[in-house]
Amino acid sequence: MKNLNYGVIGNCKSAALVSETGSIEWLCLPQFDSSSVFAKILDDQKGGSFEVLPLHGEKIDQCYVPHTNILVTRFTCSDGVFELHDFMPRYREENTGSYYIPPDIVRYFRYISGEPELVIRYQPRLEYARHPTRHVIEEDYIKSVTEKGPYDSLYLYSGFDLQAILKETPVKLSKDNFCLLSYNQKLLKQTVRRSYLKLERTKVYWLNWSERTTSYKKYNEIIIRSSLTLKMLSFDKSGAILAALTTSLPETAGEERNWDYRFCWIRDASMVVKIMNTLGHHRMAKRYLNFIMDILPDKDEKIQIMYGIRGEKKLTEYELPHLSGYENSVPVRIGNAAYKQKQNDIYGILLDVILQHFELFSDTLEHSEELWTIVRNIIKVVETNWKKPDRGIWEIRSENKHFTFSKVLCWVAVDRAVRIAELLKRTLYVRPWSDLRDEIKADIHRHAWSETKKSFTQAYGADDLDASVLLMETYGFISAEDQRFVDTVLAVQKDLEYNGLMYRYKNRDDFGIPKSAFTICSFWLTNSLYKIGRKKEAVEKFRTLLQYANHLGLYSEDLDFETKRMLGNFPQAYSHLALIETALTISNEELTEEEEIKEFIF
């Protein structure tokens, strides 16, 4: 039984998963959504990997260089000690001022002691391993090329003997060395010194980035690690933010809830941007809004729930039947048919970010006018659609319903539009939009509340509960002191919590009854409990949830209720943004003795 004990390295162009033993087992080049170079995580035999195998290994330790995305795997062997520093270069070039972010991985071997003997197992499998990959030594590199299908190639430079790498012959390490993997053929000679300079420059970049992150007295290291992870999920070229780095890691092992998450969901990305703005990373937020303006150039442009990372609108879903899947969980999917779905919650979450932007920044007139046009167009869509059913936040594929969360987020859209209109002194819009806001709110209270359950329910007219209604307070629809919200939190906890973790919902969907815990929902519950006054319970839950991260503090989409092992795509933006939000909530104040007594009585 596997756990997702991987580190992530990336440079905002692509990223790789590195196992706890230093094996690269997932990498797509040249960009996040390109075909895979290594995909052992999806097929142990066919997928391909890049491994470092000491012949006399005794112990392996792994950590990040603090406040960076440089991963260090330390090998303690009976014949010596060395470290593997894995990273993807990212730093500002002195001459041009632009960022150097090549589709490269550098594996820097730092010699510590002795003369450790090791094997380098280099097995790229290009184009999702559909066809064999051939390797040839040319000049000072190994070139790997596809033998059939679309042409693709890859280059490996190293200070180690290239024949020894291809033949998996043992080599000895007596000084620093390197391997550099690139999608492009290099124009300059690659040396240990050049790799070391890239390592140090990349380290400086990430240290400077972390230094600009707002610091907190409590949980600061956890917040920084999650922030660094979210930064790696941003695509530098467009400003898009990915939901996760992987495809088809199953929500439940052996089943078919396997999806490609290497795309930009408007909802997920907007949530990430709001929290990154809060942490002081305003450039990331501005780039994302530029992405939104680029994909919505015309007034009648329909907003999709998700886009490709370069703004692609068609994300055709297909399967790779030749891959066995993570723990034999098939199918392995590329693309995502959910792009065709209608989800009315995206409008509120996007306008929430746009409001935050207007409150934080004074912008150019042109930029402000473009955003104001988007605001008005979104409200036209909300006016037309808020009474209609949709597929909801969880992307139910088989049925449209009047989901409560979608209705609440329609209310959020109009509420934020009213506040933006007031900020911009567009008084003509304030009254009609305020009336629409009141109408939606009254409708939700009338149709989404269940006296039987003493809770807001998943959908109008249903008694099923849903973790998403816990966000009603977060978005300002209802106060934490309102008895209806207090009752909802307790009802949802009673109905959906199991073994200390949360279901999204428990009613049957397209694939039956869900069997794993959705990580973000457990953080939502913790956040809500704190806000309704159950502070001690919330703090204890939060500390427990922190123990379910992997050895590097990273989270996937799901957790197994029994074993607590991670499942689903990895690392998951949703999980990390919710972790940050919860950490900020419970780090704001200490729990006093008087509050502990009140909570015990409650």
Side-chain angles (χ1 to χ4, degrees), residues 489-542:
V489 173
L490 299 179
V492 168
Q493 180 182 23
K494 181 180 179 181
D495 197 66
L496 299 183
E497 188 176 40
Y498 175 68
N499 278 358
L501 298 173
M502 288 286 289
Y503 287 98
R504 287 174 286 182
Y505 50 85
K506 288 168 71 174
N507 46 302
R508 181 176 294 274
D509 62 15
D510 319 33
F511 301 98
I513 298 172
K515 296 180 181 176
S516 57
F518 207 61
T519 308
I520 193 173
C521 299
S522 297
F523 285 116
W524 286 348
L525 176 65
T526 303
N527 214 7
S528 298
L529 287 170
Y530 193 93
K531 289 179 176 180
I532 66 170
R534 303 278 284 258
K535 294 184 177 181
K536 185 177 181 182
E537 180 184 357
V539 170
E540 289 174 354
K541 281 186 177 299
F542 185 63

Side-chain angles (χ1 to χ4, degrees), residues 39 76 189 192 223 312 319 372 463 505:
T76 302
K189 184 173 178 58
V192 174
I223 290 169
E312 300 93 335
E319 298 177 5
W372 174 238
D463 280 335
Y505 50 85

Side-chain angles (χ1 to χ4, degrees), residues 276-288 357 360-361:
M276 297 305 278
N277 244 339
T278 302
L279 295 175
H281 293 292
H282 306 312
R283 183 175 177 270
M284 190 171 165
K286 288 182 177 179
R287 288 179 54 75
Y288 173 68
H357 180 81
L360 288 174
F361 310 112

Side-chain angles (χ1 to χ4, degrees), residues 86 125 184 189 259 318 329 394 506 518 533 544 562 585:
D86 284 322
R125 299 289 182 264
N184 300 319
K189 184 173 178 58
W259 314 110
Y318 62 95
S329 303
W394 308 125
K506 288 168 71 174
F518 207 61
T544 300
E562 305 298 337
T585 296

Side-chain angles (χ1 to χ4, degrees), residues 185-227:
Q185 191 178 120
K186 291 298 176 185
L187 298 178
L188 301 176
K189 184 173 178 58
Q190 299 304 305
T191 62
V192 174
R193 181 177 179 276
R194 190 176 295 280
S195 290
Y196 177 74
L197 287 173
K198 291 176 182 178
L199 171 63
E200 293 302 308
R201 287 168 177 166
T202 300
K203 185 189 300 182
V204 168
Y205 168 81
W206 288 118
L207 289 173
N208 286 337
W209 190 90
S210 295
E211 183 66 22
R212 294 195 298 273
T213 306
T214 305
S215 63
Y216 298 86
K217 290 182 179 179
K218 295 170 69 177
Y219 305 116
N220 194 58
E221 294 303 309
I222 295 164
I223 290 169
I224 287 178
R225 177 50 52 203
S226 287
S227 302

